[in-house]
Amino acid sequence: MAATKKKLSIVSFSGDFDKVIAVFTLATGAAAVGYEVNLFFTFWGLNTIKLKKGRAPLGKGILDRVFNFLMGGFGNLPLSRLNFLGASPHLMTYMMKKNNVATLAELVQAAKDLKVNFYACEMAMLILGVKKEDLIPEVKEVLGVAKFLENSEGGEVLFI
Amino acid sequence: MAATKKKLSIVSFSGDFDKVIAVFTLATGAAAVGYEVNLFFTFWGLNTIKLKKGRAPLGKGILDRVFNFLMGGFGNLPLSRLNFLGASPHLMTYMMKKNNVATLAELVQAAKDLKVNFYACEMAMLILGVKKEDLIPEVKEVLGVAKFLENSEGGEVLFI
Amino acid sequence: MAATKKKLSIVSFSGDFDKVIAVFTLATGAAAVGYEVNLFFTFWGLNTIKLKKGRAPLGKGILDRVFNFLMGGFGNLPLSRLNFLGASPHLMTYMMKKNNVATLAELVQAAKDLKVNFYACEMAMLILGVKKEDLIPEVKEVLGVAKFLENSEGGEVLFI
């Protein structure tokens, strides 16, 4: 135990703004004190690591486009609790700035700088019609469950 | 560590279609690479292991029936993010088939075949008026928290 | 392993009634069989450990008050799945009493009696304009992520 690096792995399932903030707060906080951190983005969490919103339409069919609509992309994440037509995430970002707390964009940047590992879930990408080239270049690998479990072995694992 | 079998235990709390997919994807993926897997179904997660929808009304009182209405049973699970009057789970199932990914029904069957352990939460059953005979026969045992913690000790534990 | 006390740490993120019940059921169940239990309240979970609803307005500005409105305080927690204008939590409490299960208030009291550790998340308090004096006196400390990870090390960690 003492010899190995501490490890935190998070399955980032939710696309809600507040939960994504939680993911990156935990990730950067852990990385800052020397943890190896693995983020495994799946389902709506894939939004967080998508390149652009509405630019290149994912997939080809109509159903792919419906899911594309459901998956807004980073910068358009709803709030899990109350949304008020999209006002709340902006409100929360404003509160974060006002109270001198890192915003989501800053947290994501910090995660990159701190060498947090970004992984994308193979199966969710298949279901939702997301391709590797739709994701930010920081995504290290597209993985299945078995590989993710192997990577996270011996550390803490959270599902958010 | 090396001698004991790896273990993954999941508290399956949510009744949302996408989260239940996540539960069974993780469970089958882990079992396939040799993990002991324990699923502990509680609250809305009990829906996943209920025998039939609306057939035998659970409990006797009116309140039991209200909760029964809230708890639709497998085959009627909503989607956590957007539901569109029940269209999304069908849409997702369609996408899964189209993209050659295992559907929820197939994942549940695979979990059974892979000897994943199904447990039901005693307290949630009491609150929601669910009885042992309302559950699928694969449910190994009705447990309290202490027993669940004992079963999951030394492995990874997720709350979904 | 054998020498150290078993440990369960929960990040209590949600303010939903049913999820808060899950937090305290797991916490008291674990504490009752000898676990050290750490609860780390963050975001909407802070509601659970707020002193009173609407009494002392948190923060000073209008935005603080908007968040204050979003954060109702204990006794006013919504249900994650369906709420029916606030009827469901009462319904669930009624079912819990009827079926002789501990209610949320009883679970919180039991957690205090069993020496469960209550911690509050520093960053979420900053974002949401919650102050130390707004919290119940049982809150042991206001912590950041690094300290929480240190406290929870070597045990199970859940995000609820």
Side-chain angles (χ1 to χ4, degrees):
Chain A
M1 280 279 182
T4 57
K5 206 175 176 184
K6 287 177 215 162
K7 207 190 284 188
L8 174 69
S9 301
I10 304 177
V11 182
S12 184
F13 173 93
S14 173
D16 295 330
F17 185 80
D18 42 359
K19 291 197 174 169
V20 175
I21 297 253
V23 167
F24 280 93
T25 304
L26 285 162
T28 53
V33 292
Y35 277 61
E36 171 189 332
V37 180
N38 300 309
L39 300 183
F40 185 62
F41 295 92
T42 186
F43 279 89
W44 321 112
L46 287 172
N47 268 341
T48 320
I49 51 168
K50 263 174 50 184
L51 264 177
K52 285 254 165 151
K53 185 204 158 192
R55 193 63 65 89
L58 314 180
K60 297 150 219 155
I62 289 207
L63 287 173
D64 289 309
R65 259 175 260 171
V66 171
F67 265 115
N68 199 19
F69 168 77
L70 294 181
M71 313 261 301
F74 186 77
N76 201 24
L77 305 175
L79 199 67
S80 74
R81 201 170 152 101
L82 286 171
N83 201 2
F84 291 138
L85 301 173
S88 289
H90 295 286
L91 181 57
M92 196 175 270
T93 299
Y94 179 84
M95 296 291 282
M96 291 169 92
K97 281 201 178 131
K98 189 176 149 248
N99 293 316
N100 208 18
V101 178
T103 62
L104 181 51
E106 289 163 349
L107 285 167
V108 173
Q109 186 55 52
K112 292 175 188 175
D113 295 343
L114 288 160
K115 311 289 180 214
V116 166
N117 299 312
F118 290 58
Y119 297 108
C121 170
E122 193 174 25
M123 199 194 76
M125 288 173 66
L126 270 171
I127 297 178
L128 300 171
V130 176
K131 290 185 189 57
K132 180 79 169 76
E133 58 264 30
D134 302 321
L135 305 175
I136 56 173
E138 283 79 6
V139 174
K140 206 170 158 178
E141 218 176 328
V142 175
L143 297 180
V145 169
K147 197 71 190 358
F148 169 69
L149 286 170
E150 200 185 308
N151 286 355
S152 60
E153 208 193 317
E156 308 291 3
V157 188
L158 298 175
F159 183 97
I160 299 184
Chain B
M1 280 278 182
T4 57
K5 206 176 177 184
K6 286 176 216 165
K7 207 190 285 188
L8 174 69
S9 301
I10 304 177
V11 182
S12 184
F13 173 93
S14 173
D16 295 330
F17 185 80
D18 43 358
K19 291 197 174 171
V20 174
I21 298 252
V23 167
F24 280 93
T25 304
L26 285 162
T28 53
V33 292
Y35 277 61
E36 172 190 332
V37 180
N38 300 308
L39 300 183
F40 184 62
F41 295 92
T42 185
F43 279 90
W44 320 112
L46 287 171
N47 267 342
T48 320
I49 52 168
K50 265 174 51 184
L51 265 177
K52 285 254 167 157
K53 185 204 156 189
R55 195 62 66 88
L58 313 180
K60 296 151 218 154
I62 288 207
L63 287 173
D64 288 310
R65 259 175 261 171
V66 171
F67 265 115
N68 198 20
F69 170 75
L70 294 182
M71 311 262 300
F74 186 77
N76 200 24
L77 305 176
L79 200 67
S80 74
R81 198 169 153 102
L82 285 171
N83 202 4
F84 291 140
L85 300 173
S88 288
H90 294 286
L91 181 56
M92 196 175 270
T93 298
Y94 179 83
M95 296 291 282
M96 291 170 91
K97 281 199 179 134
K98 190 176 148 248
N99 294 315
N100 208 17
V101 178
T103 62
L104 181 51
E106 290 163 349
L107 285 168
V108 172
Q109 186 55 51
K112 292 174 187 173
D113 295 344
L114 288 161
K115 310 291 180 212
V116 165
N117 299 312
F118 290 59
Y119 298 108
C121 170
E122 194 174 24
M123 199 194 76
M125 288 173 66
L126 270 172
I127 296 178
L128 300 170
V130 176
K131 289 183 191 59
K132 181 79 168 79
E133 59 264 31
D134 302 321
L135 304 176
I136 57 173
E138 283 80 6
V139 175
K140 206 170 159 178
E141 218 177 327
V142 175
L143 297 179
V145 170
K147 197 72 189 355
F148 169 69
L149 286 169
E150 201 184 309
N151 286 356
S152 59
E153 208 192 318
E156 307 292 2
V157 188
L158 298 175
F159 184 97
I160 299 184
Chain C
M1 280 277 184
T4 57
K5 205 176 178 183
K6 286 177 218 163
K7 207 191 283 189
L8 175 68
S9 302
I10 303 177
V11 182
S12 184
F13 173 93
S14 173
D16 294 330
F17 185 78
D18 42 359
K19 292 197 174 169
V20 174
I21 299 251
V23 167
F24 280 93
T25 304
L26 285 162
T28 52
V33 291
Y35 276 62
E36 171 190 332
V37 181
N38 300 309
L39 300 183
F40 185 62
F41 295 93
T42 186
F43 279 89
W44 321 111
L46 287 171
N47 267 344
T48 321
I49 51 169
K50 265 175 50 184
L51 265 176
K52 284 254 165 152
K53 185 204 156 188
R55 193 61 66 89
L58 314 181
K60 296 150 220 154
I62 288 207
L63 287 174
D64 289 310
R65 258 175 260 170
V66 171
F67 265 115
N68 199 20
F69 169 77
L70 294 180
M71 313 262 300
F74 187 77
N76 200 26
L77 304 176
L79 200 65
S80 74
R81 202 169 150 98
L82 286 170
N83 201 4
F84 292 139
L85 301 173
S88 288
H90 294 286
L91 181 57
M92 196 175 270
T93 298
Y94 179 83
M95 296 290 283
M96 292 169 89
K97 280 198 180 135
K98 189 176 149 249
N99 293 315
N100 208 20
V101 178
T103 62
L104 181 52
E106 289 163 351
L107 285 168
V108 173
Q109 187 56 51
K112 292 174 188 175
D113 295 344
L114 288 161
K115 310 289 181 214
V116 165
N117 299 313
F118 290 58
Y119 297 107
C121 170
E122 194 174 25
M123 199 195 75
M125 289 173 65
L126 269 172
I127 297 178
L128 300 170
V130 175
K131 290 186 189 57
K132 180 80 170 75
E133 58 263 31
D134 302 321
L135 304 176
I136 56 174
E138 284 80 6
V139 174
K140 207 171 157 177
E141 218 176 326
V142 175
L143 296 181
V145 169
K147 197 71 186 0
F148 168 69
L149 286 170
E150 200 185 310
N151 286 355
S152 60
E153 208 192 316
E156 307 292 3
V157 188
L158 297 175
F159 183 98
I160 299 184

